[in-house]
Each structure stands twice: as structure tokens, then as C-alpha cells.
Amino acid sequence: MRQAYQIQLNDLGDHGARMCKVASDALRDATKSLLTADLSLAEQVIATDVVLDEMRASAETAALELLALQAPVAGDLRAVVSALWIVADLQRMGALAIHVAKAARRRHPAQVIPMEIRPIIERMGRVGVHLADQAAIVLRDRDTTLARTLETEDDLMDDLHQEMFAALLSPSWTHGVAPAVDISLLGRFFERFADHAVAVARRVIFLVTGENVGGDTTPAFSPPER
Amino acid sequence: MRQAYQIQLNDLGDHGARMCKVASDALRDATKSLLTADLSLAEQVIATDVVLDEMRASAETAALELLALQAPVAGDLRAVVSALWIVADLQRMGALAIHVAKAARRRHPAQVIPMEIRPIIERMGRVGVHLADQAAIVLRDRDTTLARTLETEDDLMDDLHQEMFAALLSPSWTHGVAPAVDISLLGRFFERFADHAVAVARRVIFLVTGENVGGDTTPAFSPPER
């Protein structure tokens, strides 16, 4: 009985790592679909919605069953509760990747992203994907040392976000209001994706150490003074 | 013992309702500070950050204690797990209200919002506050009938968001890119605030019925075709 229970607990952790990989792949493909105006890739990302919702629901069911039938305490209890928080963050990461893919679909066959913004979006995508991949390792290995590095990497995303605003508000911006609105929202989606990856890492720190620093409390990055 | 436990469970519900009121007041004041360029009101909203984080942390501690010491099952278990989800949504609602207040502070003493957008922002604030107030009643009374109406009211927010995009993208928009960027992000904050209020209501439906429709899965509203 006790052994089956440990297996269920481990399954829950592995499930999180797999779901994180789905979110990471979704952001990678969404960014690519945006930069290459690839409609079928965008549609493929949008379709992961169902997958992520099923993964969330099955993790929640498993966690609730563990709580009801095994009444875990201490570290095991934290593992189950963390899983409930973490799958919510992971589903949200997937949803944000899907928002990016929807922007690509909405403007297809037009290119949403003017040339001077493309390298920034590319790097935002890369940083987001890397954060999610790191979060998957944190989840799989319960690696709190790695977990604590995610916050620093998230600063890169904030820098890119600032660069993006600077480009939008520069006197040399010639593309008018409509693409600026699209890009402001896209920047927000990438930034929030990264925030949730950091939140996942924080939840793993809680899981291992019991130190509760809260989940998604990263301050929003804002447009600069003008 | 059993009685003390029921009291703790009820406290957790009341705590949620109070926290929801804090978020609602924060959005009301943040909207006002934005529309009247009231710096001290904006500062006051920004300061609720600490209050909300303390409320989240104490609710989480209470919920974890209940799980560890009482090993609740069935409806009681759902009540505790729902509380863990709900305080995360409520803290996020507060954070979004704070983002609105920060926009007011960042642009002070300038008015961020051009005249033609003011009525839309005013109504977005009103709808958001009303949704949060309804969510507080749902939490206090575990009222699933009221909970199911929140989704419909959230449609009002989406309509307002669409109106906002239409104004930004209209040929008569004369304010250029910078205010459009600010307003796009503000619109997103109001919309997400409303989404989280709906998520709270969904969690109460789960708490009462066991029906798990997921939390924050509302699709994002997007800028229109152009």
C-alpha cells in the first residue's frame, strides 16, 4: 500500500515535468508560427489546449485522491499541494503560448511583427522556452539550486520587454498604432509565460523545503517613463 | 475537536470573502486614481500588496494545517483545496488592480486616458468591481446559482474590451502609439481581473458540487481583425 502510494506521488511529479515540456514546445512552435506566418503550426499549438486541460484535470483528480485516501503529511502533503498549484501554472503557460499562436493565426497571411521587432520576439521566445525547460528539470529532479536560478533568468525577459517598449515608443517607429497594440499584448504573453515558469520553480522550493515564498508574485514589467 | 475543525473551515471561507473585498476595493480605487490622476489614492492601492500577500500566506498555512491535522475527505477536502486555489486567484486580482494603480502613478500628473476612452475604462472598472463583489457573495454563501451568472457578466467585460480596441484602431485615433500601448495593457489588466473573478466562482461550484470545470481557462479576448 505504502509503495503504491510512493509510486503515485512520483507519477504526479513526472506528470508535471511532462506537462511543462508540452508548454515549452507550445511556446517554441507559437513563436515560430508568429515569425514565419505558419498557419498550420499555429493551429497545431492552438490544439494543445485540450491536451493541457486533460493533463490538468487528471493531475488534479490524482492529487485529490491521494489527499482523500492517503492523508499525507509533511513533505508528502507539500508534494501533493504543490502539484495542485503547479498544474495551474503549467496550464496557464500553455494558454499564453496559445495566445501567441492565435495572434499568428489572426493576422495570417500577414506578418504581424515588423523587422526591427523580430529579433526581440525571437529572443523572448528562446528565453521563455529555456525557462520552461529548466522548470521541467526542476520538477523532475526537485532541484532547488536550479530553481533559484530561474528568477535571474527571468530578468533577461524583463530586459527584452523593456527593449520592445523602447522600439515601439521610438521616434523611428513607422508602423503606427495597430501593430504596436498587437506587440504590446504579445510582449505581455511572453513575460507572463516566464513569470509562471518562475512560479513553478518557487513551488518546488516550497515542496522540498517548506519555505513558502508565494507563487506568481513577480511584479509586472511596465512601459518606461515618457 | 470536530467543532473546532468546522469553525476553522468556515473561517477559511470568510477569509476568502474578505480577501475578495480587498481586491474589489483595490480595483475601484485604482480605476478612480487612473481617471482622476490621484497619486495618493494610487499609492494606497499599491500598498495593499503586502496585505494581500499576508492574507494569502495565512490562508495557505491554515489550509495546510487542516489537511495535515484533520485529513478532511469529500466536501470538506474540496473546501480546503478550493481555498488554496481561490486565494491564488484573489491575490492575482489584487496584483492586477495594483498594475492599474501603477499606470496612474507612472504617468502622474499626466492623464493617461484620452477623453474618448474614459467612459470605457470607467465601465470596465465598474464591471470588474461588480464581478469581484458578486464573487465575494458566492464565497460567503457558497451560492452556485449566483456563481453560474458570473460568466455571463464577464461577457460585458469582453464587449468593453472590444470597444476599446475599436477606439484605438479607429482612423479618428489621434493620440499616437504611446497611449495606445498603455491602454492595451490596461485593458488586459481589467480583462484578467474579471477572468479571475469567474475562476473563483468556478472553484466554488467545484467546492459545492465536485464538478471540476477548471479554474482560469477563459479564452483571452483579442484585438479584432484588421
Side-chain angles (χ1 to χ4, degrees), chain B residues 42-201:
Chain B
E43 294 286 7
Q44 202 176 301
V45 173
I46 293 163
T48 56
D49 191 23
V50 183
V51 179
L52 284 161
D53 199 52
E54 278 170 9
M55 291 183 96
R56 172 197 62 77
S58 75
E60 287 181 0
T61 305
L64 285 165
E65 264 179 34
L66 274 166
L67 288 172
L69 302 178
Q70 306 290 349
V73 294
D76 289 349
L77 174 58
R78 290 200 305 272
V80 179
V81 167
S82 301
L84 287 169
W85 279 321
I86 286 167
V87 295
D89 281 307
L90 295 173
Q91 186 178 26
R92 192 74 210 143
M93 286 162 72
L96 289 160
I98 289 169
H99 290 353
V100 173
K102 283 187 175 167
R105 179 172 73 178
R106 197 163 49 243
R107 301 296 176 230
H108 185 269
Q111 286 277 1
V112 188
I113 311 296
M115 211 41 86
E116 65 265 43
I117 300 284
R118 293 176 62 86
I120 303 176
I121 292 278
E122 207 156 22
R123 278 183 289 153
M124 284 181 125
R126 237 175 5 236
V127 171
V129 168
H130 191 248
L131 277 165
D133 288 344
Q134 298 293 93
I137 299 172
V138 166
L139 276 167
R140 198 193 55 206
D141 300 344
R142 298 193 175 184
D143 182 339
T144 57
T145 311
L146 182 60
R148 289 180 205 278
T149 65
L150 261 69
E151 213 125 349
T152 315
E153 194 174 337
D154 184 38
D155 293 345
L156 284 178
M157 187 64 98
D158 292 341
D159 293 345
L160 288 167
H161 207 179
Q162 184 153 32
E163 241 183 85
M164 170 181 275
F165 284 125
L168 294 180
L169 302 177
S170 141
S172 65
W173 179 259
T174 55
H175 310 282
V177 170
V181 167
D182 277 344
I183 291 162
S184 303
L185 293 173
L186 284 165
R188 179 87 187 143
F189 300 151
F190 283 103
E191 184 210 11
R192 293 295 301 153
F193 183 98
D195 288 344
H196 283 284
V198 172
V200 167

Side-chain angles (χ1 to χ4, degrees), chain A residues 177-199:
Chain A
V177 170
V181 167
D182 277 344
I183 291 162
S184 302
L185 293 173
L186 283 165
R188 180 85 187 144
F189 300 152
F190 283 103
E191 185 211 13
R192 292 296 300 152
F193 183 98
D195 288 345
H196 284 284
V198 173

Side-chain angles (χ1 to χ4, degrees), chain A residues 77-97:
Chain A
L77 174 58
R78 290 200 304 271
V80 179
V81 167
S82 301
L84 286 169
W85 279 322
I86 285 168
V87 295
D89 281 308
L90 295 173
Q91 186 177 26
R92 191 73 210 143
M93 285 162 73
L96 289 160

